[in-house]
Amino acid sequence: MNTRRQFLRLAPLSLLSGCCSLDRTFVDSDVHLPDGMLIIDPHCHVFNGRDLNIAAYMDSERGKPGSEYYLPYKVGGPVLHFLAQTIREKAWTGEAELDELTEMNRRGAMRMESRSRSAAPLRAQAQLAEDAMREAESNVGAALETATRRDMQRTLEAARISRMPESTLETEAVRKEALRAYQSADRHHPLKAYSFRRWVNAHNLMQTYPEVDLFTPAMLDVDSWLAADRWGIPSTPMDLQVQIMEEISVYSGGRVLGFVGYCPRHQARAVASGVAANQTPLGIVKRAISRGGHLGVKLYPVMGYQPWDNASLSRFPPGHDSPPSGAELDAAMAQLYTECLGLHSAPIMAHTNSSHGTSELFEMRAAPLRWKPVMNQFEGLTINLAHFGGHALESWTDESVEMMGVAEHRVFSDFSCFTEVRCSRFAALLERRIEQWRSESPYIAARMMYGSDWYMLTGADILSRKGKGIGPTYLKRWYHALEKNQIPQDMVANIFGRNAADYLGLRDSRVLDRIDTFLENRGIPQPRWRSRVPHEVPPSSAVPIRTA
């Protein structure tokens, strides 16, 4: 049985592990991916602790006894809150990072990809990233080491944690555990990634998976559904996050193209307040996709809203302000769907797993089948039901497959944050399920996608064997799981890249022209993925993109 002290040690690492669960049975990851195979990761993240109210996000797990994170949070709450406060305070602000990135891109020497790819600029770029990581680690570590009793008391009082074991409230114990957790985490772990600059996280992502041609990291806009920041630190506005992502796209040579976060609550409030149309969340989405090199939109319905028919609901999370009505939320969602169709069916990625919502009740509003009325009403809309329904091919997986099997709907799903892929039994289960799905509908195989959920994927790394977890090997483990079970090579190629190219609209000349124009205006040559995207549509692929 785990002791209270062990729970304290595990809590900061398990709670921040994103959508994954721990599996200790390993399969081989020493495999070679085919040369020239298009690989796209449509589900990853590079945001930092200034972009998300970490403490309030963690608070939501405390009220869900059924959550795998409930017990670690209940016991380790003080440590988590102190870590969240310190990391959020020390993380680089959006304004400072935008200035730095803009100057880096102006010089042009630090781009990750160029036609020359000479060694000197790449070494200089790697050294800049290393220096930036050391700086962040030093700043956070020093803050944790020098925290005073007054700092700690402020944290514990703000956390409002009651009925906690007395020993966990000892300020010195909390400080030491927070420092140990941060120092023990590797640079792929959320504890570190939250404290790094966003371009550094993008650098680490590209270095971790050099085989991947294109990454589309998603930003989150969820703070309005959570309690107000207890220390008065504002989250980075979405329009500023979009500007930073544009510079990261330039820095990466077009290997990183973002998904802009959208919150219907923010949109409804902006409309009701008379905000100018181009300054609303919807206006930011339109500008980011039409001119800013972004490819799609990220939604997070588990916060407490449905994809459609919110007007039928009587209760919403309170957040830190008065929530709009269900009808107003529906209007904000309809505006987004219409705008996406007008942008040549710009893809939407929706968190579709019963995890990390504001409560277990509100998480149910993200269920895959709740997208059915949306797909029926907004013909031609493109959606990724992210996480394929949940872990171990259970939970909402069957609902996701049902949605993907409808010929006239452009519904995809990604296998992101499936840490079970390292388990031999999961690989066997995967083979059986894929054969089952292929027999049910010819469209399903053309709509399955690889995805990592990096860096949230890496949250369990510190707990796994010898401190080496699945994060850096996730791509190869997925390839091994498919290859081992003799999945046809053509289907494997579809899952790893071709299906995502279809989902992202990369076979549509209008979308490609939009991205080409963005990169050309910034002096960036065509990236590698541009020549690898096949023009033909995969067998049994989705219906054509609607022409606006």
Side-chain angles (χ1 to χ4, degrees):
M1 173 177 287
N2 286 311
T3 65
R4 179 184 304 158
R5 176 62 66 184
Q6 287 172 321
F7 272 122
L8 251 181
R9 290 181 180 274
L10 295 179
L13 304 165
S14 61
L15 184 62
L16 296 180
S17 63
C19 317
C20 51
S21 59
L22 188 61
D23 189 311
R24 298 178 182 274
T25 307
F26 290 82
V27 297
D28 184 29
S29 63
D30 186 16
V31 298
H32 177 71
L33 277 66
D35 293 332
M37 182 174 73
L38 174 69
I39 303 178
I40 297 175
D41 186 350
H43 189 161
C44 51
H45 305 283
V46 299
F47 58 80
N48 79 358
R50 284 279 181 159
D51 303 334
L52 175 68
N53 187 346
I54 310 171
Y57 187 64
M58 295 188 301
D59 260 349
S60 64
E61 299 298 332
R62 183 172 47 170
K64 296 185 290 186
S67 167
E68 62 184 303
Y69 308 116
Y70 171 72
L71 189 55
Y73 178 88
K74 182 177 180 181
V75 179
V79 176
L80 292 168
H81 274 273
F82 182 50
L83 271 170
Q85 176 198 3
T86 305
I87 290 172
R88 190 161 161 82
E89 286 180 338
K90 297 300 178 181
W92 262 50
T93 66
E95 293 84 356
E97 181 163 348
L98 181 60
D99 288 344
E100 179 186 52
L101 259 176
T102 301
E103 176 60 22
M104 289 169 57
N105 288 332
R106 187 188 65 80
R107 295 197 308 266
M110 297 297 112
R111 292 173 185 159
M112 286 290 292
E113 283 206 19
S114 64
R115 292 191 186 277
S116 64
R117 291 190 63 81
S118 58
L122 291 177
R123 284 197 300 268
Q125 180 273 337
Q127 187 60 53
L128 275 182
E130 175 65 25
D131 292 345
M133 287 185 284
R134 287 183 178 176
E135 176 190 348
E137 290 170 332
S138 176
N139 289 342
V140 174
L144 293 171
E145 285 181 337
T146 60
T148 65
R149 179 174 293 275
R150 182 177 180 182
D151 294 331
M152 296 303 301
Q153 286 300 131
R154 182 169 73 103
T155 299
L156 299 181
E157 290 169 2
R160 300 174 187 156
I161 296 173
S162 60
R163 297 185 297 279
M164 297 293 291
E166 184 178 347
S167 62
T168 66
L169 294 177
E170 295 172 1
T171 56
E172 184 61 19
V174 169
R175 186 188 67 78
K176 288 182 178 179
E177 288 300 332
L179 178 62
R180 186 212 61 81
Y182 184 78
Q183 291 178 335
S184 298
D186 66 27
R187 287 174 170 179
H188 302 291
H189 196 283
L191 286 178
K192 290 290 176 67
Y194 281 146
S195 65
F196 292 159
R197 296 150 160 94
R198 302 149 191 88
W199 72 262
V200 171
N201 286 331
H203 166 88
N204 285 343
L205 174 63
M206 291 184 282
Q207 292 294 304
T208 300
Y209 304 114
E211 305 90 347
V212 175
D213 297 287
L214 174 64
F215 300 94
T216 59
M219 293 165 270
L220 301 184
D221 188 355
V222 300
D223 277 11
S224 68
W225 301 93
L226 303 170
D229 187 280
R230 291 164 181 160
W231 305 288
I233 302 174
S235 290
T236 312
M238 186 52 60
D239 58 345
L240 181 54
Q241 291 189 52
V242 165
Q243 293 177 62
I244 294 170
M245 185 60 70
E246 289 179 16
E247 296 300 324
I248 289 175
S249 296
V250 173
Y251 165 84
S252 71
R255 193 177 165 199
V256 175
L257 299 172
F259 265 53
V260 56
Y262 181 81
C263 174
R265 188 168 180 158
H266 275 160
Q267 174 66 13
R269 186 189 308 119
V271 171
S273 302
V275 175
N278 65 344
Q279 297 300 317
T280 64
L282 188 68
I284 294 170
V285 165
K286 183 176 182 178
R287 186 167 61 252
I289 296 176
S290 63
R291 303 198 304 269
H294 289 63
L295 284 172
V297 182
K298 174 62 185 281
L299 295 174
Y300 216 73
V302 290
M303 287 291 102
Y305 61 93
Q306 294 185 154
W308 195 245
D309 196 23
N310 289 280
S312 67
L313 304 175
S314 59
R315 182 184 171 199
F316 296 95
H320 58 264
D321 56 16
S322 300
S325 69
E328 290 173 314
L329 291 175
D330 287 336
M333 298 302 286
Q335 292 162 3
L336 174 68
Y337 303 146
T338 302
E339 191 64 59
C340 286
L341 288 172
L343 292 167
H344 312 133
S345 197
I348 294 171
M349 175 170 63
H351 182 95
T352 315
N353 186 6
S354 55
S355 65
H356 296 282
T358 48
S359 75
E360 290 173 324
L361 170 65
F362 294 137
E363 285 176 350
M364 296 301 103
R365 296 179 179 179
L369 288 180
R370 302 204 182 196
W371 282 94
K372 183 177 290 188
V374 175
M375 304 309 295
N376 289 335
Q377 181 163 342
F378 296 89
E379 180 182 353
L381 197 67
T382 301
I383 181 74
N384 171 18
L385 303 176
H387 299 296
F388 225 94
H391 307 300
L393 303 179
E394 297 173 352
S395 184
W396 292 340
T397 300
D398 290 339
E399 290 189 20
S400 296
V401 169
E402 178 181 340
M403 293 289 294
M404 295 164 66
V406 180
E408 60 270 22
H409 293 166
R410 288 181 52 82
V411 178
F412 297 76
S413 191
D414 66 56
F415 290 109
S416 59
C417 214
F418 270 81
T419 56
E420 297 90 343
V421 73
R422 57 183 160 188
C423 174
S424 299
R425 288 177 295 177
F426 175 81
L429 172 63
L430 180 66
E431 178 189 23
R432 294 195 301 271
R433 295 302 300 272
I434 287 180
E435 287 302 315
Q436 173 191 341
W437 299 333
R438 291 177 69 189
S439 67
E440 292 175 357
S441 169
Y443 296 95
I444 296 171
R447 295 169 177 176
M448 296 186 293
M449 303 184 295
Y450 164 80
S452 68
D453 199 23
W454 195 93
Y455 52 83
M456 304 305 290
L457 164 72
T458 59
D461 282 3
I462 200 73
L463 306 179
S464 56
R465 188 176 60 181
K466 298 180 181 179
K468 297 179 180 179
I470 191 173
T473 63
Y474 189 74
L475 172 66
K476 290 185 176 181
R477 289 187 188 276
W478 260 104
Y479 183 79
H480 177 77
L482 296 172
E483 182 188 50
K484 174 184 177 181
N485 289 300
Q486 300 181 335
I487 303 298
Q489 187 61 37
D490 191 57
M491 181 184 293
V492 173
N494 286 347
I495 291 173
F496 276 96
R498 294 175 187 166
N499 293 348
D502 185 24
Y503 160 68
L504 295 171
L506 300 182
R507 291 187 178 85
D508 187 323
S509 61
R510 299 164 301 181
V511 175
L512 292 176
D513 288 347
R514 193 170 66 216
I515 298 302
D516 287 346
T517 298
F518 167 76
L519 294 176
E520 288 171 6
N521 288 342
R522 300 298 301 271
I524 306 298
Q526 285 193 352
R528 183 178 67 183
W529 63 262
R530 189 68 170 75
S531 62
R532 289 188 174 182
V533 172
H535 295 292
E536 73 277 6
V537 177
S540 304
S541 186
V543 294
I545 297 174
R546 195 186 89 166
T547 301

